Amino acid sequence: MWHLTMQDKKAYENAMRLFIYESDEEWTDYLAYAKENDIDPYKEKKQELDVIRDSLMNYLPLRFHTYILDSTLNTPDVPKHVREDFLGWRNEQEQLFENILDAAYEEKQKTLVYMKPKEREVFEQSLHDATIVSIQRNATQVELTFDMAGGFTAKSIISLTFNKILSEVGQVEPEQFYIYDELRKTANGMALRVIFDCPEVEWTIEAAELDAEFYYRPKTYSDFAENGNFSTYVQTLQLEHGLIFITPQLKKRVIGIQQHAPFLVLENSNLYENDRGVFVDTICVADKLDDCIHFLHTDTYEDPYAHFSEPVPIQDLEEAALGTDLELKVRAWNTMYANPVQLAEKINHILMKMNPAQEDDMMRNVFIRHFYNEGILTTELQAKFKDILAE
C-alpha cells in the first residue's frame, strides 16, 4: 500500500490555503496597517476567502462551515476558540502530510539497496522540480527524460527507462514538474509513484527493470547560456568528456567539433542550419544555432567554480585579499580559510589592514569567526572585531 497519494497532497494544500493571523497582536497590527493605507480589511479578507470558498467547503471539517459561509473565519470577528481550533486542525494536517512524506522517504531508502549504482545515485538525490522534456514509449518500455535546471542536483539531464512494464496508472506529458515520489521494491521488480504538477497527476508505474542515465552541463555553459554565441561555446568543449546532444526529439552523441558551421559532427547524423532553422537530418531542433547551446551535455562533471579554490601564492595574498578583483579576492580568502594555522601571521597582518565596515556579511560572519575558532586571532584583532565575534 502506498503512503503517498494525490488525495493526501490535495488535503494538505487545501488545509494551508486560507491565511489567518494567529494572535490578537497580529490582528491589531494588520488592522492598524489597513487603516493607515486606507484598506477595507473585511472586504479584503472576504475576497481572499471567496476565491477558495468551494474548496474549503469540500476539505474543511463541518464545524468550520458556518464561519466559511458567513465570511468570518479569516477575520478578527471569528470567536477566539474557533480560530484556535482551526489553527490546531491545520497544524495537524501539516504534520500528517509531513509524516506521509517521511514514510515515503523511508520506503525509498529501503528500496535503494536493491538498485544498481547509477539508478541509486539518481534517487539518493532529489528529482523535485525536474521537468519532463520528452516521453518515449513502446508496448513494454517507457523512457522519461527530465531537465534538471530547476532541480537540486548538479546533473542537467536525467533519463529513467522502465523496461518490461507490468502496470502503469496515470497519464504523464512533457512540461510537467516532478514534485513528490515514493519508490518501492516489489516481488517482480521496482515500482515508482510520482505526484506531478502542471497539470496535477498521480502516476504509478511498476516494471521488471529500471535504468537511469544522467549528464551534466559543460563547465563553460554558464558563460554562454544567456548571451549565446554557439560557435565560440563549442570550441571550449572537450570531446574526451563525452559530449551528447539532447533535444526533446532526439539524443545523439557528438563525435567531432569543427571550426566552421554547423560546428558539430553527430553520430550517424548531420547537424546543419538553413533559412528555416537548425536541423538534425530532417528534424528541426531550433530556430538558430545559438539556441542549441542548451542541448549540449557531458558525461563528466566539471565544477564550474573549481577555479575559486585554486590557492593564491603567499606573496600575493595581501594584494588579492584587499584588492578589487573579485575572483582573486575570493581565491585569496578561500586560501586563508583552508590554511589558517600555516598562514596565521599573514592572516593577522591582512586583518589589521581590513576595515570591517567595508566588508560584507559573509566576510564578517564566516571568515572572522572561522579564524577566531581556529585560535589564530591576536588579542588586538579580537578587540577590533569584538562586535562581530559577539553576534
Side-chain angles (χ1 to χ4, degrees):
M1 185 174 178
W2 294 96
H3 299 288
L4 183 64
T5 70
M6 178 67 77
Q7 181 180 358
D8 290 318
K9 173 182 179 288
K10 285 184 175 293
Y12 162 73
E13 290 177 341
N14 280 283
M16 306 303 293
R17 289 185 74 183
L18 184 65
F19 175 77
I20 294 181
Y21 289 111
E22 298 189 10
S23 67
D24 292 338
E25 292 77 12
E26 289 175 313
W27 276 117
T28 299
D29 290 343
Y30 165 71
L31 292 173
Y33 169 83
K35 182 178 181 180
E36 182 180 340
N37 291 274
D38 198 25
I39 296 172
D40 183 338
Y42 291 93
K43 181 179 179 180
E44 182 176 78
K45 291 303 174 185
K46 184 178 185 303
Q47 288 173 341
E48 291 176 5
L49 190 144
D50 284 346
V51 172
I52 56 176
R53 187 185 302 274
D54 290 343
S55 64
L56 294 178
M57 293 295 288
N58 288 329
Y59 283 95
L60 266 61
L62 285 173
R63 63 184 186 272
F64 299 123
H65 285 196
T66 297
Y67 308 98
I68 298 171
L69 293 171
D70 68 10
S71 301
T72 61
L73 183 56
N74 61 335
T75 73
D77 290 349
V78 73
K80 186 173 182 179
H81 73 275
V82 175
R83 181 179 71 198
E84 292 176 346
D85 184 18
F86 173 77
L87 292 171
W89 172 82
R90 191 175 67 180
N91 290 338
E92 289 175 3
Q93 301 309 301
E94 183 175 18
Q95 188 59 57
L96 283 173
F97 192 62
E98 288 181 2
N99 291 343
I100 288 169
L101 294 181
D102 288 343
Y105 175 80
E106 291 301 322
E107 194 66 45
K108 180 164 64 174
Q109 294 304 113
K110 290 189 293 185
T111 304
L112 291 177
V113 299
Y114 298 100
M115 304 183 77
K116 295 171 287 186
K118 210 167 188 179
E119 290 68 31
R120 184 185 309 124
E121 181 176 339
V122 167
F123 283 98
E124 281 177 338
Q125 300 175 6
S126 175
L127 284 159
H128 185 75
D129 277 351
T131 305
I132 298 178
V133 174
S134 65
I135 304 167
Q136 305 292 331
R137 63 167 70 243
N138 57 41
T140 61
Q141 181 188 77
V142 60
E143 178 185 6
L144 301 186
T145 299
F146 297 95
D147 182 343
M148 302 304 300
F152 301 86
T153 173
K155 298 174 176 60
S156 56
I157 289 286
I158 294 176
S159 292
L160 299 179
T161 302
F162 301 86
N163 299 302
K164 301 176 185 176
I165 296 173
L166 303 170
S167 65
E168 183 180 3
V169 179
Q171 183 70 39
V172 289
E173 58 187 77
E175 305 300 324
Q176 283 181 306
F177 292 93
Y178 193 113
I179 306 299
Y180 304 113
D181 66 8
E182 182 173 348
L183 187 68
R184 286 177 172 265
K185 177 72 178 73
T186 68
N188 301 309
M190 293 284 176
L192 175 68
R193 170 167 288 182
V194 184
I195 303 294
F196 285 99
D197 201 6
C198 296
E200 271 190 328
V201 68
E202 176 186 291
W203 181 71
T204 308
I205 188 168
E206 182 181 8
E209 300 173 357
L210 171 59
D211 295 321
E213 290 182 341
F214 49 78
Y215 308 95
Y216 306 92
R217 290 292 185 191
K219 182 170 63 175
T220 55
Y221 172 76
S222 59
D223 297 330
F224 294 88
E226 291 187 11
N227 300 321
N229 200 334
F230 183 78
S231 59
T232 303
Y233 175 55
V234 297
Q235 304 307 320
T236 71
L237 307 182
Q238 301 180 58
L239 276 177
E240 58 268 28
H241 286 170
L243 291 174
I244 188 164
F245 190 82
I246 302 175
T247 80
Q249 306 98 322
L250 55 87
K251 181 189 302 181
K252 296 286 184 180
R253 281 282 169 186
V254 178
I255 61 174
I257 297 175
Q258 305 177 132
Q259 295 292 327
H260 54 81
F263 304 104
L264 295 181
V265 180
L266 304 181
E267 185 179 31
N268 302 320
S269 297
N270 294 313
L271 177 72
Y272 64 93
E273 183 181 26
N274 59 31
D275 56 2
R276 295 183 294 115
V278 182
F279 290 78
V280 175
D281 298 331
T282 61
I283 300 172
C284 183
V285 296
D287 292 331
K288 57 185 185 297
L289 276 174
D290 285 349
D291 296 336
C292 295
I293 286 174
H294 310 292
F295 298 151
L296 283 162
H297 307 268
T298 177
D299 293 325
T300 307
Y301 176 66
E302 303 173 89
D303 184 355
Y305 306 106
H307 58 288
F308 286 121
S309 298
E310 294 177 10
V312 172
I314 294 177
Q315 65 271 20
D316 300 329
L317 271 177
E318 181 178 339
E319 182 180 356
L322 300 176
T324 57
D325 186 317
L326 181 58
E327 179 175 329
L328 268 178
K329 190 169 188 173
V330 171
R331 286 177 54 202
W333 285 98
N334 285 344
T335 300
M336 294 187 289
Y337 186 95
N339 305 279
V341 177
Q342 299 92 317
L343 298 174
E345 183 178 351
K346 178 65 72 172
I347 291 171
N348 281 293
H349 175 73
I350 291 171
L351 291 177
M352 282 303 300
K353 289 192 168 186
M354 189 181 80
N355 181 354
Q358 295 177 345
E359 301 298 335
D360 60 21
D361 288 342
M362 181 185 73
M363 187 69 70
R364 297 199 308 268
N365 297 329
V366 177
F367 288 97
I368 301 300
R369 288 182 179 179
H370 174 67
F371 296 141
Y372 174 76
N373 291 334
E374 290 293 324
I376 68 164
L377 293 186
T378 64
T379 302
E380 188 176 5
L381 282 172
Q382 291 180 41
K384 178 178 180 178
F385 296 111
K386 63 180 180 180
D387 291 340
I388 295 172
L389 297 175
E391 291 179 357

